[in-house]
């Protein structure tokens, strides 16, 4: 290993040379409290910035073992340190300058959710830290300006590391609070299972967000307050007793007038599959972490999905046991979304009528009497929702402001009124008695076999050179194929999309095989992520610093939407 002094000398020697001379400083250098690795040097000042890592050994970092002795706690601590280091780096980013990206320092921008990221790894064995970041190596035009890089590497970084990555310099109370919140959140997740709950929403939670473009909590919002009849009190290890609304497994309706907070509640439940940071307002909104938001998704790609549970006898005798299309309709897309999320192991569906295909959700009495069942290819969700729960153990939480027919099949009916939930189950059931329920007798319920095997084609087949691009939270691109992910509303971070791009190309290279099912492929991926982390997805010499781990559900959903995967 080289000394930092050797790096300084090498950098001074290449000052004023042409940019590629920076490549000569790739390597590892010992600084006082850490090792700096220069893993990949950018080709020019306008290219994507150079990849470096910082490694702090466990003894120097000094974090007590109990702060990271479970996976969730380790991830929570990583998240905290990433935010901390990010704040320090932000202050100095751009302070050293030059052309193009000279002097810019990038690290993961964490949002409200706590995610596992390739940017920071704590080794559970010894508490050592590894951070991956990107630095624009400074130049004037294409002429190296190494004194500016020396400023970054020798003045800025050591101070940032000392301030944010050494336990002795961090407020212990904050570290303990991160640990406590994490343990409480995991406790609630375990309680959901023990008490047969699909979700828990604490009294006092702040559900609405600041705006359509900000995930920060809304100021002066009406705090959540459970209906008395649905209250449960959980005895959290740190917080102590916490009361809130427990949504029992089964079928739950959320009804109420427009603008009364129905979708806001459902959105909070959607994101409750992740843990949230303190101050978010949704720290104690915890949902079954396999929950999947089901919606209509016109024009999505579907390959060999068995949607016959919902759709049969399409015009032209189109097969629905093995249904494929390049351009799905609202109802076929939503049917495929149900089936594919069953395949991914979801045990809770979240549905908002605002984003559903009406003919998929319901067929009213009058329509049934005019268009006979034989002429209608769709068995609406309402006719399947009970069997999904009773036979497959999948609960549903449905926002249904306009279809009272769901009263018949619901176990619980919650009315949102001025952002406050009321339990109106009895009243709704009573009223429903006077209306005939939709007949579902004689319907057979058969769950598909889920043995589809993905086969790579087109852009995914050209194994060696797969260029990946992430377009915000909308889509990923592999060479020239675009995978549209904008309707996967539970993706919370563009870094999850980056990871999905890696997971897809990695699978194309290593895991897609004839006869291997999608479930088996995703199992292999998840085992790899457990054992070797996100960074193991890279085949290149340096590991990407900007990946966040997506859930199993989104991995399935991403692969299902890739037009260069054909399922057999
Ligand atoms: P619905 O789905 O019932 O039509 P929304 O959930 O979309 O209603 O909420 C309507 C508006 O009310 C949104 O702008 C939302 O931000 C706001 N809102 C939701 N819940 C609250 C709350 N608890 N306090 C204050 N405003 C809220
Ligand atoms: Mg709504």
């Amino acid at each position: 290993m080289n000394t930092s002094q050797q790096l300084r000398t090498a950098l001074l020697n290449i000052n004023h040379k042409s940019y590629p001379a920076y490549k000569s400083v790739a390597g590892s250098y010992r600084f006082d409290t850490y090792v700096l690795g220069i893993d990949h040097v950018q080709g020019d000042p306008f290219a994507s910035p150079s990849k470096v890592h910082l490694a702090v050994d466990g003894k120097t970092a000094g974090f007590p073992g109990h702060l990271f002795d479970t996976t969730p706690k380790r991830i929570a601590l990583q998240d905290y340190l990433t935010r901390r280091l990010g704040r320090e780096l932000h202050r100095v980013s751009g302070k050293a300058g030059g052309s193009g990206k000279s002097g810019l320092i990038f690290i993961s921008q964490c949002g409200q959710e706590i995610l596992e990221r390739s940017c920071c790894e704590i080794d559970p064995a010894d508490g050592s830290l590894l951070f991956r970041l990107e630095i624009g190596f400074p130049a004037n035009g294409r002429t190296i300006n190494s004194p500016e890089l020396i400023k970054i590497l020798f003045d800025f970084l050591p101070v940032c590391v000392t301030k944010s990555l050494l336990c002795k310099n961090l407020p212990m109370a904050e570290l303990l609070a991160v640990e406590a919140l994490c343990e409480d959140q995991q406790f609630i997740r375990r309680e959901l299972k023990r008490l047969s709950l699909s979700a828990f929403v604490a009294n006092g939670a702040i559900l609405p967000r600041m705006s359509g473009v900000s995930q920060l909590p809304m100021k002066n919002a009406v705090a959540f307050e459970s209906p008395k009849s649905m209250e449960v009190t959980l005895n959290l290890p740190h917080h102590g007793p916490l009361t809130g609304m427990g949504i029992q497994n089964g079928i739950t309706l959320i009804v109420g007038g427009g603008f009364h907070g129905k979708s806001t509640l459902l959105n909070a439940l959607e994101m409750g599959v992740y843990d949230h940071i303190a101050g978010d307002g949704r720290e104690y909104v915890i949902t079954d972490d396999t929950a999947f938001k089901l919606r209509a998704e016109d024009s999505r790609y579907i390959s060999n999905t068995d949607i016959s549970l919902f759709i049969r006898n399409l015009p032209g005798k189109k097969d629905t046991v093995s249904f494929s299309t390049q351009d799905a309709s609202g109802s076929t897309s939503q049917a495929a979304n149900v089936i594919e999320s069953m395949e991914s192991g979801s045990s809770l569906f979240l549905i908002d009528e605002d984003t559903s295909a009406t003919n998929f959700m319901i067929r009213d009495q009058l329509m049934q009497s005019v268009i006979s069942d034989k002429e209608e290819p769709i068995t609406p969700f309402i006719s399947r929702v009970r069997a999904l729960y009773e036979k497959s153990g999948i609960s549903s939480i449905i926002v249904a402001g306009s279809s009272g027919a769901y009263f018949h099949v619901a176990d619980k009916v919650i009315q949102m009124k001025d952002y406050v939930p009321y339990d109106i189950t009895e009243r709704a059931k009573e009223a429903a008695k006077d209306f005939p329920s939709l007949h579902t007798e004689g319907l057979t319920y058969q769950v598909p076999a889920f043995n589809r095997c993905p086969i790579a084609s087109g852009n995914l087949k050209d194994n060696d050179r797969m260029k990946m691009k992430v377009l915000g939270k909308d889509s990923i691109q592999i060479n020239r194929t675009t995978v549209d992910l904008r309707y996967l509303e539970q993706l919370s971070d563009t870094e999850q999309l980056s990871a999905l791009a890696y997971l897809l190309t990695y699978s194309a290279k290593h895991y897609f095989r004839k006869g291997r099912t999608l479930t088996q492929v995703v199992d292999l991926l998840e085992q790899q992520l457990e054992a070797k982390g996100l960074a193991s997805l890279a085949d290149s010499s340096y590991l990407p610093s900007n990946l966040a781990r997506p859930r199993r559900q989104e991995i399935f959903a991403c692969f299902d939407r890739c037009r260069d995967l054909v399922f057999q």
Side-chain angles (χ1 to χ4, degrees):
M1 167 138 11
N2 302 303
T3 63
S4 58
Q5 201 46 49
Q6 284 168 310
L7 176 60
R8 190 192 288 268
T9 310
L11 283 173
L12 287 172
N13 282 338
I14 58 171
N15 195 23
H16 299 315
K17 291 204 173 151
S18 103
Y19 205 84
Y22 261 141
K23 301 255 181 212
S24 64
V25 299
S28 297
Y29 303 92
R30 172 91 245 159
F31 281 70
D32 278 351
T33 48
Y34 57 90
V35 171
L36 168 75
I38 299 178
D39 302 321
H40 175 81
V41 179
Q42 65 205 92
D44 67 71
F46 304 92
S48 82
S50 303
K51 316 283 188 279
V52 309
H53 75 260
L54 306 168
V56 187
D57 68 62
K59 222 167 140 203
T60 311
F63 292 95
H66 66 86
L67 292 179
F68 56 88
D69 61 4
T70 66
T71 303
K73 281 203 274 176
R74 177 173 55 77
I75 293 169
L77 180 58
Q78 288 171 179
D79 173 86
Y80 174 81
L81 295 176
T82 304
R83 291 169 197 269
R84 206 74 209 192
L85 181 63
R87 234 176 294 153
E88 296 299 330
L89 291 176
H90 184 71
R91 263 179 235 175
V92 295
S93 174
K95 284 252 169 85
S99 320
K101 302 198 171 86
S102 290
L104 298 180
I105 309 176
F106 299 94
I107 185 173
S108 294
Q109 299 275 316
C110 304
Q112 298 301 103
E113 285 81 27
I114 297 169
L115 304 175
E116 180 166 16
R117 295 173 192 273
S118 62
C119 157
C120 170
E121 284 174 15
I122 298 175
D123 186 338
D126 62 6
S128 58
L129 311 181
L130 192 135
F131 275 86
R132 299 191 173 92
L133 36 138
E134 302 186 359
I135 299 176
F137 282 12
N140 299 321
R142 285 172 208 284
T143 305
I144 287 178
N145 183 348
S146 60
E148 289 295 285
L149 183 55
I150 289 174
K151 243 201 251 173
I152 298 173
L153 300 182
F154 289 81
D155 298 342
F156 299 163
L157 280 193
V159 174
C160 293
V161 170
T162 306
K163 274 190 172 166
S164 52
L165 301 185
L166 304 187
C167 185
K168 61 175 194 234
N169 297 333
L170 292 173
M172 191 38 104
E174 274 184 32
L175 289 167
L176 292 175
V178 167
E179 179 190 28
L181 178 57
C182 178
E183 285 185 341
D184 281 350
Q185 288 166 335
Q186 306 324 307
F187 178 83
I188 300 175
R189 292 198 185 281
R190 286 192 300 275
E191 287 291 272
L192 290 188
K193 294 210 172 77
R194 191 177 69 84
L195 301 169
S196 303
L197 297 175
S198 293
F200 175 81
V201 184
N203 289 346
I206 301 299
L207 307 188
R209 301 294 96 192
M210 189 112 85
S211 73
V213 292
S214 167
Q215 283 299 303
L216 295 173
M218 178 189 274
K219 293 205 173 88
N220 306 318
V222 177
F224 189 84
E225 180 80 47
S226 171
K228 280 279 173 274
S229 61
M230 294 180 75
E231 271 185 356
V232 290
T233 298
L234 306 179
N235 222 338
L236 311 193
H238 299 277
H239 179 286
L242 178 66
T243 301
M245 179 172 84
I247 299 182
Q248 286 288 332
N249 291 344
I251 291 130
T252 305
L253 280 196
I254 302 171
V255 303
F259 230 64
H260 279 268
K262 303 184 298 295
S263 298
T264 302
L265 172 57
L266 195 78
N267 291 150
L269 295 173
E270 286 161 28
M271 297 319 278
V273 299
Y274 304 110
D275 292 337
H276 288 90
I277 54 170
D280 174 79
R282 299 168 297 182
E283 297 91 311
Y284 303 113
V285 179
I286 304 281
T287 311
D288 171 346
D289 59 12
T290 68
F292 194 76
K293 170 75 176 282
L294 289 175
R295 54 169 293 160
E297 205 179 329
D298 289 40
S299 78
R300 68 156 281 198
Y301 166 72
I302 299 172
S303 176
N304 188 11
T305 296
D306 180 352
I307 56 170
S308 60
L309 205 55
F310 297 102
I311 301 177
R312 281 170 184 278
N313 311 324
L314 281 179
K317 294 241 176 327
K318 200 164 161 46
D319 186 6
T320 58
V321 172
S322 171
F323 183 77
S324 299
T325 178
Q326 291 287 341
D327 186 6
S329 66
S331 56
T332 49
S333 64
Q334 202 161 357
N337 288 351
V338 174
I339 300 301
E340 291 170 357
S341 78
M342 289 172 81
E343 188 173 17
S344 79
S346 292
S347 50
L348 175 61
F349 292 152
L350 303 171
I351 300 177
D352 194 330
E353 65 177 3
D354 289 358
T355 51
S356 291
T358 311
N359 58 345
F360 176 77
M361 294 304 291
I362 185 120
R363 218 154 86 75
D364 71 17
Q365 295 290 314
L366 184 54
M367 192 56 88
Q368 274 193 354
S369 65
V370 176
I371 310 286
S372 78
D373 281 359
K374 281 205 196 70
E375 294 170 89
E376 172 55 69
I378 303 177
T379 304
F381 190 75
I382 191 169
S383 305
R384 292 297 192 190
V385 65
R386 284 238 61 98
L388 281 166
Y389 177 56
E390 282 157 20
K391 304 221 167 97
S392 297
I394 303 174
S395 299
S396 292
I397 301 175
I398 305 165
V399 170
S402 62
S403 43
Y406 271 89
F407 289 158
H408 290 289
V409 294
D411 296 305
K412 207 45 132 188
V413 184
I414 302 168
Q415 180 186 358
M416 294 302 292
K417 202 164 138 192
D418 298 324
Y419 315 130
V420 178
Y422 297 87
D423 179 356
I424 61 159
T425 311
E426 275 176 36
R427 188 150 65 80
K429 289 276 183 193
E430 197 55 43
K433 275 190 191 147
D434 298 336
F435 295 81
S437 69
L438 295 173
H439 59 274
T440 54
E441 304 92 58
L443 272 184
T444 52
Y445 177 81
Q446 195 175 0
V447 178
F450 299 136
N451 51 10
R452 302 184 306 146
C453 301
I455 302 294
S457 70
N459 289 282
L460 285 182
K461 242 174 111 181
D462 182 13
N463 273 344
D464 286 338
R465 280 173 297 115
M466 287 197 261
K467 278 193 93 160
M468 295 178 264
K469 205 168 149 190
V470 175
L471 304 167
K473 267 172 58 181
D474 280 354
S475 60
I476 56 173
Q477 237 173 34
I478 316 284
N479 289 345
R480 275 198 294 275
T481 194
T482 301
V483 188
D484 191 346
L485 303 175
R486 82 189 65 203
Y487 295 125
L488 299 182
E489 295 172 85
Q490 290 164 291
L491 281 173
S492 82
D493 195 302
T494 56
E495 292 199 354
Q496 289 181 316
L497 283 90
S498 305
L500 286 170
Y502 271 90
L503 287 159
L504 188 52
T505 54
Y506 191 89
S507 301
K509 284 183 197 164
H510 302 287
Y511 287 150
F512 296 142
R513 296 259 186 293
K514 230 181 160 52
R516 187 179 276 163
T517 65
L518 177 59
T519 307
Q520 288 168 335
V521 169
V522 179
D523 284 346
L524 284 169
L525 285 170
E526 293 209 296
Q527 281 157 19
Q528 174 172 339
L529 294 182
E530 290 306 327
K532 300 195 219 140
L534 280 162
S536 72
L537 294 172
D539 285 332
S540 58
S541 54
Y542 62 91
L543 303 173
S545 60
N546 60 346
L547 308 183
R549 183 163 173 182
R551 292 187 309 154
R552 180 180 180 81
Q553 275 63 36
E554 278 74 29
I555 302 177
F556 269 85
C558 170
F559 287 15
D560 281 326
R561 283 159 184 73
C562 175
R563 291 172 195 264
D564 277 344
L565 275 185
V566 177
F567 289 79
Q568 293 182 343

